[in-house]
């Protein structure tokens, strides 16, 4: 067990390169199951979660090789196998193999994901979507057993809430179905767009990329893919918010400013100077006193609204302000786990259901403390707070952090942060 140690109060200067997006890499790696042959994926981050899904593919018979951030995955000899609870319980995104397995084999047996720290997170939309294709889904002993006789039949699928992995799973089933599928109220996240680009490159027919209505015309077979994973917009946002917390001037590189419309608006409204370029974003924030920092309200929404995966980090920033703001978390019902830990650092935050009221600490600021990570994004909010706090912060259970951030301590260390890992 390792912990992260931060000596706060150091401003950040320099450049931070962004890795490929975790939430694009996972569905794109799963999509390789759709076709035999050697697939080439570039800019794949080396994370706990990407290692988990590769392990899963290995258990299904895929052969893969990593060369730096390029992955070659051969899915010619995939054998039908069940995806175990032991794997799914470590990463709920493992359910993303359901669509490809059903499409390619006409059956799949995958463990249902259990509960999650941030919410109940059922997969009922995924299952009712598959049933629209004529797939029979049975829940047995904690597993989803899905089967269909013959090819999937194209249909219309409507999401009550634009589910990201739900849209991805249904897309991956629809591309090999017979006839047309229309997905309504689909998710519009850039990661879904990255998957669509990959599938179209494999020979799929999909219209409506970037909109909430996708039309898929099924084909009988697909070929191996060659695709670049998009930059991680959540990693990008985390570092931009960190500049606001610690002060300084940082160029965040290899990112896509167009993927962060809501965050860039909110950072400018909070008082940061933000300059965007084709594939980089420069952030400037005064060092020292935070009297320049304005409190800004946040309401999380599906893309292009403010991302729920950047709610906790922005709350840590707002705890440093000098007035009051309100957060509304509309996506997950239990995504304030970081609040109690931020309070241990002196933050003044009151929650009530899906709302939180943050009163800035002003001149008092935050002070270092021993805190605990509870989930991926909560842990990065504690890093943001630790960079701004006076004294030393120790964050335990950082395995949460390593699920979604590649070399975070190295990247922040290179721009002047005093941050390192230690054994617990
Ligand atoms: C994806 O999760 C991301 N994960 C999450 O990132 C992200 O927070 C989330 O989208 C929202 O942006 C990956 O892409 C691997 P949803 P997903 O289905 O697809 C409800 C991170 O930190 N719902 O869009 O699981 C659900 O409970 C992670 O990197 C159902 O009710 O999220 C939630 O309230 C955390 N039934 C809402 O919809 C379903 O069948 C949106 O969830 C599916 C979803």
């Amino acid at each position: 067990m390792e912990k992260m140690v931060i000596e706060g109060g150091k401003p950040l200067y320099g450049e931070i390169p962004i890795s490929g997006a975790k939430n694009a890499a996972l569905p794109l790696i799963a999509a390789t199951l759709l076709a035999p042959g050697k697939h080439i994926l570039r800019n794949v981050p080396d994370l706990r979660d990407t290692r988990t899904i590769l392990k899963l593919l290995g258990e299904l018979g895929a052969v893969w090789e990593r060369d730096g951030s390029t992955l070659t995955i051969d899915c010619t000899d995939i054998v039908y196998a069940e995806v175990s609870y032991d794997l799914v319980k470590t990463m709920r995104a493992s359910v993303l193999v359901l669509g490809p397995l059903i499409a390619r084999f006409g059956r799949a047996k995958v463990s249902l994901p259990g509960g999650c720290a941030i919410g109940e997170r059922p997969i009922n939309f995924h299952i009712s979507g598959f049933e629209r294709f004529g797939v029979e889904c049975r829940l047995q002993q904690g597993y989803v057993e899905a089967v269909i006789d013959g090819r999937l039949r194209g249909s219309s699928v409507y999401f009550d809430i634009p589910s990201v992995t739900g849209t991805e799973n249904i897309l991956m089933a629809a591309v090999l179905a017979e006839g047309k599928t229309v997905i309504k109220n689909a998710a519009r996240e850039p990661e879904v767009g990255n998957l669509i680009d990959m599938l179209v490159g494999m020979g799929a027919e999909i219209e409506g990329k970037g909109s909430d209505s996708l039309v898929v015309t099924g084909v009988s077979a697909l070929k191996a893919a060659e695709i670049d994973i998009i930059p991680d917009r959540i990693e990008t946002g985390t570092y931009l918010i960190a500049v606001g917390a610690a002060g300084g001037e940082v160029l965040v590189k290899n990112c896509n400013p167009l993927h962060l419309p809501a965050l860039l608006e909110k950072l400018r409204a909070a008082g940061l100077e933000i300059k965007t370029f084709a594939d980089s974003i420069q952030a400037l924030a005064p060092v020292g006193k935070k009297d320049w920092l304005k409190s800004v309200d946040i309401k999380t929404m599906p893309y292009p609204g403010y991302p729920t995966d950047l709610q906790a980090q922005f709350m840590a920033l707002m705890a440093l302000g000098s007035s009051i703001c309100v957060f509304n978390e509309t996506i997950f019902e239990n995504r304030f786990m970081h609040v109690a830990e931020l309070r241990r650092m002196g933050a003044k935050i009151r929650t009530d259901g899906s709302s939180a009221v943050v009163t800035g600490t002003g001149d008092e600021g935050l002070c270092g403390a021993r805190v605990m990570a509870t989930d991926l994004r909560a842990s990065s909010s504690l890093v943001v707070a630790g960079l701004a706090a006076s004294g030393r912060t120790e964050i335990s259970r950082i395995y949460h952090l390593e699920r979604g951030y590649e070399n975070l301590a190295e990247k922040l260390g290179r721009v002047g942060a005093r941050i390192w890992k230690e054994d617990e």
Side-chain angles (χ1 to χ4, degrees):
M1 288 281 262
E2 285 182 309
K3 63 184 174 188
M4 192 71 84
V5 181
I6 306 170
E7 296 282 356
K10 308 274 179 290
L12 308 177
Y13 292 100
E15 299 184 349
I16 298 181
I18 293 300
S19 303
K22 167 183 82 80
N23 290 347
L26 298 176
L28 274 70
I29 291 171
T32 61
L33 290 166
L34 283 164
K38 278 196 165 47
H39 303 259
I40 298 172
L41 280 62
R42 287 181 291 267
N43 198 28
V44 183
D46 183 16
L47 302 164
R48 209 185 171 91
D49 278 8
T50 48
R51 290 194 287 271
T52 301
I53 200 153
L54 285 169
K55 183 164 177 263
L56 193 167
L57 257 69
E59 289 185 5
L60 295 174
V63 179
W64 56 272
E65 209 181 311
R66 183 183 266 279
D67 176 10
S69 64
T70 299
L71 264 182
T72 306
I73 306 176
D74 189 333
C75 287
T76 305
D77 302 321
I78 296 290
V79 288
Y80 170 71
E82 73 181 43
V83 179
S84 70
Y85 174 62
D86 289 333
L87 264 173
V88 176
K89 77 176 179 205
T90 62
M91 184 186 72
R92 45 181 324 101
S94 309
V95 296
L96 282 165
V97 300
L98 259 173
L101 287 177
I102 295 172
R104 187 155 168 205
F105 293 100
R107 59 192 171 129
K109 183 175 178 183
V110 175
S111 166
L112 261 181
C116 169
I118 65 175
E120 209 192 302
R121 303 184 73 181
I123 59 165
N124 52 320
F125 300 161
H126 303 231
I127 292 174
S128 54
F130 293 135
E131 288 171 340
R132 301 285 298 172
F133 292 107
V135 177
E136 202 196 311
C137 295
R138 271 175 309 141
L139 304 187
Q140 255 188 337
Q141 293 164 325
Y143 281 75
V144 184
E145 284 195 49
V147 64
I148 182 165
D149 208 1
R151 264 179 87 186
L152 280 71
R153 297 180 290 278
S155 179
S156 67
V157 175
Y158 170 80
F159 286 112
D160 292 340
I161 300 169
S163 163
V164 176
T165 50
T167 301
E168 293 163 346
N169 238 336
I170 297 305
L171 266 174
M172 291 189 278
V175 287
L176 286 176
E178 201 152 16
K180 257 191 208 320
T181 295
V182 181
I183 306 176
K184 295 211 175 91
N185 201 24
R188 302 165 58 194
E189 272 67 4
E191 294 76 23
V192 175
N194 203 186
L195 175 64
I196 290 174
D197 289 344
M198 176 180 171
L199 295 171
V200 168
M202 294 168 74
E205 292 176 25
I206 306 173
E207 293 155 60
K209 179 186 152 187
S211 80
D212 62 1
S213 179
L214 300 172
V215 180
V216 184
T217 307
V219 295
S220 54
L222 296 167
K223 60 181 179 3
E226 189 162 346
I227 185 87
D228 295 322
I229 306 277
I230 59 172
D232 196 313
R233 63 194 167 100
I234 306 301
E235 186 194 15
T236 306
T238 302
Y239 291 129
L240 292 172
I241 293 169
V243 176
E249 179 179 343
V250 170
L251 183 71
V252 178
K253 299 191 314 185
N254 312 341
C255 64
N256 186 339
L258 300 175
H259 289 170
L260 287 164
L263 175 73
L264 298 184
E265 278 311 309
K266 293 292 177 181
L267 286 172
R268 288 187 175 113
L272 280 82
E273 203 183 309
I274 301 284
K275 287 196 195 113
T276 60
F277 306 94
D279 64 355
S280 60
I281 303 172
Q282 187 185 52
L284 280 95
V287 174
K289 276 189 167 211
K290 288 278 184 289
D291 45 12
W292 58 272
L293 182 60
K294 299 181 194 61
S295 291
V296 178
D297 293 344
I298 294 285
K299 182 174 186 175
T300 63
M301 293 291 280
Y303 190 87
Y306 190 89
T308 174
D309 294 347
L310 286 171
Q311 176 256 98
Q313 301 93 319
F314 206 89
M315 192 180 283
L317 177 65
M318 290 294 101
L320 297 160
S322 44
S323 65
I324 295 177
C325 57
V326 177
F327 281 64
N328 268 305
E329 174 54 60
T330 73
I331 308 292
F332 293 110
E333 62 274 22
N334 188 33
R335 203 161 205 184
F336 289 147
M337 297 290 280
H338 46 285
V339 170
E341 302 300 316
L342 289 174
R343 281 199 201 119
R344 288 177 45 71
M345 300 177 76
K348 298 176 185 147
I349 307 171
R350 290 183 27 231
T351 62
D352 181 4
S354 61
S355 304
V357 177
V358 182
T359 306
T361 50
D363 292 347
E364 273 172 55
L366 295 177
C367 58
R370 294 179 64 189
V371 289
M372 187 161 65
T374 49
D375 62 78
L376 169 57
R377 307 305 172 184
S379 50
S380 61
S381 86
L382 301 177
V383 170
V384 169
L387 292 169
S390 56
R392 181 184 168 108
T393 296
E394 293 187 11
I395 307 171
S396 62
R397 299 187 181 185
I398 54 165
Y399 53 83
H400 287 291
L401 203 60
E402 283 157 357
R403 295 190 52 189
Y405 292 91
E406 194 175 39
N407 305 328
L408 176 135
E410 290 80 359
K411 290 186 182 185
L412 283 170
R414 269 202 296 271
V415 293
R418 296 257 305 125
I419 179 169
W420 63 92
K421 282 196 275 191
E422 261 179 27
D423 290 340
E424 278 274 25

